[in-house]
C-alpha cells in the first residue's frame, strides 16, 4: 500500500490524475511524513508550512489513510469559513476520487470495506428547527414586533422549502437577523424523539451523520467550545483519535475566549425583548397570556421582565461608566480607549443576578403550568438562558474564577466607526497553556498544529534540533505543548525575486500622553508616506494598521488625494463587511484598502490585484490591554522578561502574518513597506528582520 509521501509524489495517483495542475513539492512530502508519524505514535507535532507548501493535502492524505486503513476518526478544525469550504467542497472530494481503491487495496475492517465518511460539523444554533418555525409562523402577530421582523420570518419560510441542509450558510440576508433566534435549533427546547418533525430535523440528521463519520471538519470555535464542555462532561463531538488544528496561530485567542465568560448588554436585551416588549406589547409572554388559563402568572412574569429591563440598564450603565470614568477619578487600570481592567470584587453593583434568577424561577413555574408541549419546551429554554445570565453576572462581579483577568469594555474597535455602544463585562484565563495541557495535549489522541506563522525566526538548513525548537519556543509555551516535535518548512516560492522590502520610517510623535502614532500631525505624515508608496504601484495596496483610530484618521486624510488619482479607497468598518470590501477590492486593480485586525491574516488575493502591502506600525499588543497586562504581571512574578518572552514574539508572528498577504502564488510579485523607524533603530529590529523570507533584499529609504 502506498504511503502518504508516495501518494503526493511526482509519480503518485494525484499527479497522474491532475497532470499539469499538480506539482509535487518536497516540503509537502516532508509535512505529510511528519503528520503520518505523529498519528502513528499518537504524539504531537507543530509544523510551520510556508505559503504554497499545500499543507491541506499534506495533512488530509495521512488523515484519510488513518480513517480508511485503521478505522480511526480524525477531527480537522480551521479558523476561517473559507478554509472549511475549501476542504469540504474541493480538497476532500478530489482526494476521495483520486485515491479510490489505491489507498486500501482490498483492505477490510471488521469484515467491511473501509469507507471515508465526511461530516462538516456546525454548532446547533446554525440549524433551522422545522417545529419552531411552524410555531413562530402560527404566533407571528404576537411575538414579532414589526413588519420587518415578519418579512424576515417569511423569508426564512420561503428558504426552508428549498434548503437541503437547513443551516445559516445558505440563508439569504434578513432585515431582522434576531428572528433566527425564534426558529433555530436549541438544546433547551428540543423535544427529541417526541418532536413531530424529528425525522425532518436538520440538526438531528446532521448529528447522525457526524456520529457515523470518520473525518470531521469543524471550526476552532466549535472545537474549543466542545473542549471546554468536556471539562463538565458535556461535550458534543464524538470520541476521536487524532486532531488537526489548521490556522493554529489563532488557537490561543479562540481557546481563551471559550474558556472565559462574556456577558454583553445586547445578549440580555435580546432575551428580555423576546419575552416581552412593553412599547409594542409583543413577545412570547404576550401570546402565552392568550393561551394560558392562568393570566395572572403570565402578568407577573411580564412584570419581572420589566424589572429585569430596568436592572439590566442600570447594571450595564455602571459597567460602561467604569470605562468612561476620567483617569484621575478611577482606581482602575485603564488600557486602550474602550476597556478597563477590574481588579477588585464588587466593582459593579450586581442588581442583575437576583432579578434574572427570579425570572428564571418564574418561567419554570409557567413551564409546569403550560398546557401545550411546545410552550413547556420554549419556557424551559428561556429559563435556562435567564439562569445562565444570572450565574455569569455573579461570577464576573465576584471575580469567582481564579487565574482569570476581568475587564469591562464599551464597543469593539469597529463600533467606533458606527457610533454604536456595546457594553460587555468579561473574563478569560490569564494563560490557556495549563488548560490546553490538561484537556488537549495530555489525552491519548495525536494533535497536529499547523500554520504559516508559528515560529519567530527562519531556521537555516543545518541548524540543530535545539535551535529549531527555540524558534518555536513561544508557541510551545503559550499553548502548553512543550515537548511536541517541531517542523519548519519554507515556501517553494522565490521570495528573493518576487518581493521587495522597504523600510520608510514615519516617526512623528503624537500629542503628550498619546505616544507614537497619535495626533493629526502623525496622521498627515503617515498619509503622505502611504500616498507615495501607493502611487509607486498605482494602487493595488493593503495598508495595515494596529488600531482603528489611526485607520480612521488616515482614511480622512487620504480620501481626497486618492479620489483625485482615481483610486477607490476602502476602509474596514466604514465601507461594508470584511467580505464586501474585499470583493470590491478585487474588482478594481487600483483600489487601496485600509485594514486592521482581521486583514493581517486569512486574506488571499492572488495576482496583480494585490501588489503592495504597507505596514504602518510594528504590531505590538498595547501593553495595558487587560489580558496583556495580567499576563505580564504573572511572568514578572516568575522572574521572566515579558517583553522578550511575550510581547516581541507575538509582534514578530503577527508581522509575519502581514508579510504573508503579498505573495500567494509563484506568479505574484510586489513590495512590502514598513513605515516604522524602529525597524532601523531598535535593539530588537534584527529579530523582525530575521523573520523575513530567505534572500529578500532590504531597501532603506531616507
Amino acid at each position: 500500500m502506498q504511503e502518504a509521501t508516495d501518494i503526493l509524489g511526482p509519480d503518485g495517483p494525484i499527479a497522474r490524475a491532475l497532470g499539469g495542475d499538480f506539482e509535487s513539492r518536497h516540503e509537502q512530502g516532508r509535512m505529510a511524513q511528519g503528520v503520518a508519524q505523529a498519528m502513528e505514535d499518537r504524539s504531537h507535532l507543530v509544523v510551520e508550512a510556508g505559503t504554497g507548501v499545500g499543507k491541506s493535502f499534506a495533512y488530509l492524505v495521512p488523515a484519510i489513510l488513518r480513517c480508511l486503513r485503521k478505522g480511526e476518526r480524525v477531527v480537522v478544525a480551521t479558523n476561517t469559513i473559507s478554509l472549511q469550504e475549501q476542504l469540504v467542497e474541493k480538497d476532500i472530494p478530489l482526494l476521495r476520487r483520486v485515491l479510490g481503491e489505491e489507498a486500501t487495496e482490498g483492505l477490510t475492517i471488521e469484515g467491511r470495506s473501509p469507507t471515508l465518511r465526511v461530516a462538516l460539523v456546525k454548532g446547533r444554533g446554525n440549524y433551522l428547527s422545522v417545529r419552531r418555525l411552524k410555531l413562530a409562523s402560527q404566533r407571528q402577530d404576537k411575538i414579532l414586533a414589526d413588519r420587518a421582523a415578519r418579512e424576515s420570518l417569511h423569508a426564512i419560510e420561503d428558504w426552508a422549502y428549498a434548503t437541503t441542509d437547513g443551516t445559516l450558510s445558505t440563508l439569504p440576508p434578513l432585515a431582522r437577523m434576531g428572528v433566527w433566534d425564534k426558529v433555530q435549533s436549541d438544546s433547551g427546547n428540543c423535544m427529541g424523539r417526541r418532536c413531530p418533525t424529528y425525522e425532518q430535523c436538520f440538526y438531528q440528521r446532521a448529528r447522525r451523520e457526524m456520529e457515523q463519520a470518520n473525518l470531521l471538519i469543524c471550526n476552532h470555535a466549535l472545537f474549543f467550545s466542545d473542549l471546554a464542555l468536556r471539562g463538565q462532561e458535556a461535550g458534543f463531538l464524538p470520541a476521536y483519535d487524532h486532531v488537526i488544528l489548521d490556522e493554529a496561530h489563532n488557537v490561543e485567542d479562540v481557546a481563551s475566549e471559550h474558556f472565559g465568560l462574556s456577558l454583553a448588554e445586547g445578549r440580555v436585551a435580546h432575551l428580555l425583548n423576546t419575552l416581552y416588549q412593553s412599547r409594542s406589547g409583543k413577545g412570547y409572554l404576550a401570546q402565552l397570556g392568550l393561551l394560558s388559563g392562568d393570566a395572572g402568572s403570565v402578568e407577573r412574569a411580564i412584570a419581572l421582565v420589566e424589572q429585569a429591563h430596568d436592572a439590566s440598564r442600570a447594571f450595564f450603565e455602571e459597567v460602561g461608566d467604569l470605562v468612561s470614568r476620567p483617569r484621575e477619578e478611577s482606581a482602575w487600570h485603564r488600557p486602550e480607549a474602550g476597556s478597563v481592567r477590574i481588579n477588585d470584587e464588587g466593582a459593579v453593583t450586581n442588581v442583575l443576578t437576583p432579578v434574572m434568577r427570579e425570572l428564571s424561577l418564574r418561567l419554570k413555574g409557567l413551564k409546569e403550568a403550560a398546557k401545550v408541549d411546545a410552550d413547556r419546551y420554549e419556557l424551559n429554554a428561556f429559563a435556562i438562558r435567564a439562569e445562565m445570565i444570572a450565574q455569569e453576572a455573579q461570577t464576573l462581579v465576584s471575580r469567582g474564577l481564579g487565574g482569570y483577568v476581568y475587564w469591562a469594555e464599551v464597543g469593539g474597535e469597529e463600533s467606533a466607526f458606527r457610533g454604536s455602544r456595546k457594553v460587555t463585562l468579561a473574563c478569560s484565563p490569564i494563560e490557556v497553556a495549563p488548560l490546553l495541557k490538561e484537556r488537549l495535549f495530555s489525552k491519548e489522541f495525536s494533535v497536529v498544529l499547523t500554520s504559516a506563522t508559528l515560529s519567530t525566526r527562519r531556521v537555516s538548513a543545518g541548524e540543530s534540533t535545539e535551535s529549531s525548537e527555540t524558534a518555536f519556543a513561544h508557541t510551545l509555551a503559550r499553548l502548553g505543548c512543550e515537548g511536541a516535535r517541531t517542523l519548519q518548512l519554507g515556501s517553494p516560492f522565490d521570495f528573493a525575486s518576487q518581493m521587495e522590502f522597504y523600510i520608510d520610517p514615519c516617526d512623528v510623535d503624537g500629542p503628550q500622553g498619546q505616544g507614537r502614532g497619535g495626533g493629526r500631525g502623525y496622521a498627515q505624515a503617515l498619509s503622505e508616506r502611504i500616498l507615495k508608496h501607493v502611487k509607486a504601484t498605482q494602487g493595488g495596496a493593503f495598508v495595515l494598521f494596529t488600531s482603528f483610530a489611526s485607520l480612521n484618521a488616515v482614511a480622512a486624510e487620504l480620501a481626497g488625494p486618492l479620489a483625485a488619482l482615481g483610486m477607490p479607497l476602502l476602509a474596514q468598518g466604514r465601507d461594508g463587511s470584511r467580505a464586501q470590501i474585499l470583493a470590491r477590492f478585487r474588482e478594481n486593480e487600483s483600489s487601496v484598502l485600509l485594514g486592521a485586525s482581521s486583514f493581517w491574516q486569512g486574506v488571499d488575493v492572488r495576482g496583480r490585484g494585490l501588489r503592495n502591502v504597507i505596514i504602518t506600525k510594528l504590531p505590538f499588543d498595547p501593553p495595558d490591554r487587560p489580558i496583556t497586562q495580567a499576563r505580564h504581571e504573572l511572568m514578572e512574578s516568575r522572574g521572566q522578561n515579558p517583553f522578550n518572552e511575550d510581547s516581541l514574539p507575538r509582534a514578530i508572528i503577527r508581522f509575519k502574518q502581514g508579510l504573508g498577504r503579498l505573495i500567494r502564488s509563484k506568479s505574484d510579485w510586489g513590495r512590502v513597506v514598513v513605515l516604522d523607524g524602529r525597524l532601523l533603530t531598535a535593539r530588537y529590529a534584527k529579530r523582525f528582520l530575521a523573520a523575513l523570507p530567505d534572500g529578500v533584499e532590504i531597501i532603506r529609504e531616507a
Side-chain angles (χ1 to χ4, degrees):
M1 286 186 285
Q2 289 184 304
E3 299 303 319
T5 49
D6 298 326
I7 290 170
L8 290 164
D11 300 317
I14 298 176
R16 292 197 302 272
L18 299 183
D21 292 332
F22 177 78
E23 179 184 350
S24 178
R25 305 177 184 96
H26 173 68
E27 298 91 348
Q28 188 180 58
R30 285 187 63 199
M31 179 173 170
Q33 185 178 27
V35 173
Q37 191 62 55
M39 290 180 167
E40 178 66 25
D41 299 340
R42 300 225 169 197
S43 59
H44 309 315
L45 172 68
V46 177
V47 52
E48 180 178 81
T51 308
V53 164
K55 65 182 187 310
S56 59
F57 272 29
Y59 61 69
L60 282 175
V61 169
I64 290 171
L65 294 181
R66 298 300 295 194
C67 295
L68 292 174
R69 294 178 179 174
K70 302 293 183 179
E72 295 172 345
R73 179 180 283 132
V74 182
V75 174
V76 177
T78 76
N79 193 55
T80 59
I81 293 173
S82 59
L83 183 51
Q84 289 174 57
E85 291 174 343
Q86 175 191 314
L87 297 179
V88 173
E89 298 173 10
K90 181 182 175 183
D91 293 349
I92 294 172
L94 187 151
L95 290 174
R96 188 203 299 264
R97 184 178 73 252
V98 168
L99 294 181
E101 295 180 359
E102 294 192 50
T104 54
E105 295 181 357
L107 180 71
T108 61
I109 298 175
E110 296 180 354
R112 296 180 300 172
S113 297
T115 304
L116 182 67
R117 298 178 297 277
V118 183
L120 176 60
V121 185
K122 301 181 181 182
R124 185 165 193 156
N126 284 275
Y127 290 91
L128 173 73
S129 166
V130 177
R131 178 185 65 80
R132 295 192 74 213
L133 176 61
K134 291 179 178 179
L135 188 67
S137 181
Q138 293 166 4
R139 301 178 177 182
Q140 60 183 287
D141 289 338
K142 293 301 292 181
I143 66 173
L144 299 178
D146 56 33
R147 179 178 177 180
R150 290 189 289 275
E151 288 177 349
S152 295
L153 178 65
H154 299 157
I156 295 173
E157 290 176 311
D158 293 341
W159 163 78
Y161 285 108
T163 181
T164 56
D165 69 348
T167 74
L168 278 170
S169 62
T170 59
L171 181 68
L174 303 177
R176 294 284 189 272
M177 195 60 214
V179 173
W180 178 257
D181 181 65
K182 297 171 175 55
V183 302
Q184 69 180 13
S185 181
D186 186 322
S187 60
N189 54 39
C190 178
M191 298 176 71
R193 294 187 178 276
R194 296 183 59 192
C195 179
T197 62
Y198 180 80
E199 295 302 324
Q200 301 169 256
C201 180
F202 292 107
Y203 172 73
Q204 295 295 346
R205 184 176 67 195
R207 185 164 185 83
R208 289 192 292 270
E209 291 174 356
M210 178 186 72
E211 295 286 353
Q212 295 167 4
N214 48 18
L215 181 59
L216 307 180
I217 312 298
C218 65
N219 63 20
H220 286 177
L222 185 143
F223 179 80
F224 286 105
S225 175
D226 175 78
L227 202 64
L229 288 170
R230 283 172 183 250
Q232 308 164 30
E233 299 184 355
F236 47 86
L237 287 176
Y240 42 79
D241 300 283
H242 311 284
V243 175
I244 298 167
L245 298 174
D246 201 345
E247 301 176 307
H249 57 275
N250 291 292
V251 161
E252 183 184 25
D253 288 341
V254 179
S256 181
E257 177 183 348
H258 285 277
F259 284 117
L261 296 174
S262 178
L263 184 59
E265 183 176 21
R267 173 181 155 203
V268 180
H270 180 70
L271 172 61
L272 298 177
N273 286 332
T274 299
L275 288 168
Y276 186 75
Q277 297 182 48
S278 58
R279 186 169 56 184
S280 65
K282 302 278 180 83
Y284 176 80
L285 292 176
Q287 63 83 33
L288 186 65
L290 299 176
L291 303 174
S292 171
D294 186 3
S297 294
V298 176
E299 289 174 2
R300 287 190 289 274
I302 289 174
L304 265 178
V305 171
E306 298 283 16
Q307 292 177 36
H309 269 298
D310 292 339
S312 178
R313 280 189 287 268
F315 181 84
F316 286 104
E317 183 175 342
E318 192 172 348
V319 172
D321 286 347
L322 289 178
V323 181
S324 59
R325 187 180 302 170
R327 183 185 296 268
E328 60 271 18
E329 296 178 12
S330 173
W332 317 111
H333 295 285
R334 292 180 54 79
E336 57 224 18
S339 60
V340 59
R341 183 178 171 191
I342 299 175
N343 285 330
D344 298 320
E345 181 180 340
V348 179
T349 306
N350 188 6
V351 296
L352 189 59
T353 292
V355 68
M356 292 304 294
R357 190 152 281 157
E358 187 177 355
L359 176 60
S360 177
L361 292 172
R362 179 73 65 183
L363 294 171
K364 289 177 182 176
L366 288 174
K367 167 194 161 187
E368 298 303 323
K371 298 179 178 179
V372 180
D373 273 352
D375 287 316
R376 280 193 284 272
Y377 284 96
E378 291 292 312
L379 287 162
N380 182 65
F382 289 134
I384 290 172
R385 290 162 66 181
E387 176 59 27
M388 188 174 297
I389 289 170
Q391 290 178 358
E392 290 180 11
Q394 180 62 38
T395 300
L396 289 164
V397 170
S398 67
R399 301 177 80 251
L401 296 172
Y404 279 58
V405 58
Y406 296 77
W407 71 91
E409 183 174 277
V410 177
E413 287 184 306
E414 288 191 49
S415 69
F417 276 108
R418 305 188 179 100
S420 59
R421 185 175 188 265
K422 176 185 175 184
V423 182
T424 303
L425 191 60
C427 73
S428 67
I430 297 173
E431 52 181 358
V432 297
L435 292 167
L436 293 180
K437 185 176 294 185
E438 174 192 353
R439 302 189 190 186
L440 183 63
F441 296 110
S442 66
K443 303 302 181 182
E444 294 300 316
F445 45 79
S446 72
V447 181
V448 173
L449 300 105
T450 185
S451 167
T453 52
L454 290 173
S455 71
T456 54
R457 67 178 182 86
R458 186 180 65 256
V459 179
S460 301
E463 286 194 62
S464 67
T465 302
E466 182 179 347
S467 178
S468 175
E469 290 175 353
T470 301
F472 287 90
H474 176 70
T475 293
L476 298 177
R478 67 191 173 101
L479 298 184
C481 54
E482 296 95 335
R485 287 180 52 240
T486 60
L487 180 61
Q488 187 184 61
L489 300 169
S491 171
F493 300 156
D494 183 7
F495 286 99
S497 64
Q498 291 181 259
M499 176 191 289
E500 295 177 332
F501 184 83
Y502 290 81
I503 304 174
D504 186 2
C506 181
D507 291 329
V508 179
D509 284 331
Q512 185 176 6
Q514 290 189 344
R516 179 190 298 270
R520 176 79 189 278
Y522 175 76
Q524 288 177 325
L526 186 60
S527 299
E528 290 172 4
R529 303 279 184 166
I530 292 169
L531 191 60
K532 166 189 162 185
H533 290 283
V534 164
K535 286 180 179 178
T537 58
Q538 297 180 314
F542 272 12
V543 187
L544 302 178
F545 295 82
T546 58
S547 78
F548 274 90
S550 293
L551 190 158
N552 194 22
V554 169
E557 295 286 340
L558 288 179
L562 289 179
L565 292 169
M567 296 180 182
L569 174 63
L570 301 165
Q572 184 181 1
R574 188 193 69 178
D575 296 319
S577 69
R578 181 174 182 263
Q580 288 170 335
I581 62 175
L582 191 57
R584 290 170 60 190
F585 178 84
R586 289 189 173 111
E587 290 170 359
N588 191 321
E589 289 187 353
S590 299
S591 296
V592 177
L593 189 154
L594 311 187
S597 56
S598 59
F599 275 94
W600 285 75
Q601 59 176 303
V603 180
D604 193 350
V605 180
R606 301 189 179 204
R608 179 173 165 76
L610 178 59
R611 52 197 178 274
N612 193 348
V613 172
I614 301 173
I615 295 173
T616 58
K617 192 176 178 183
L618 295 178
F620 287 99
D621 285 338
D624 49 4
R625 180 179 168 222
I627 184 64
T628 303
Q629 189 181 65
R631 188 189 299 124
H632 289 184
E633 289 173 359
L634 181 62
M635 293 180 72
E636 287 174 348
S637 73
R638 296 170 174 170
Q640 296 172 285
N641 185 313
F643 180 81
N644 287 334
E645 298 180 48
D646 188 70
S647 296
L648 185 57
R650 288 176 189 276
I652 291 170
I653 289 174
R654 195 175 182 203
F655 176 70
K656 289 173 63 177
Q657 291 165 6
L659 296 178
R661 296 315 96 220
L662 183 65
I663 305 300
R664 309 299 298 176
S665 73
K666 285 194 171 182
S667 61
D668 287 355
W669 61 270
R671 62 169 61 188
V672 172
V673 182
V674 180
L675 303 177
D676 192 328
R678 289 176 292 180
L679 208 51
L680 293 173
T681 60
R683 67 186 185 279
Y684 52 77
K686 62 182 180 181
R687 296 272 299 273
F688 281 94
L689 298 178
L692 292 175
D694 195 22
V696 171
E697 180 185 0
I698 299 171
I699 303 169
R700 294 170 170 84
E701 296 211 344

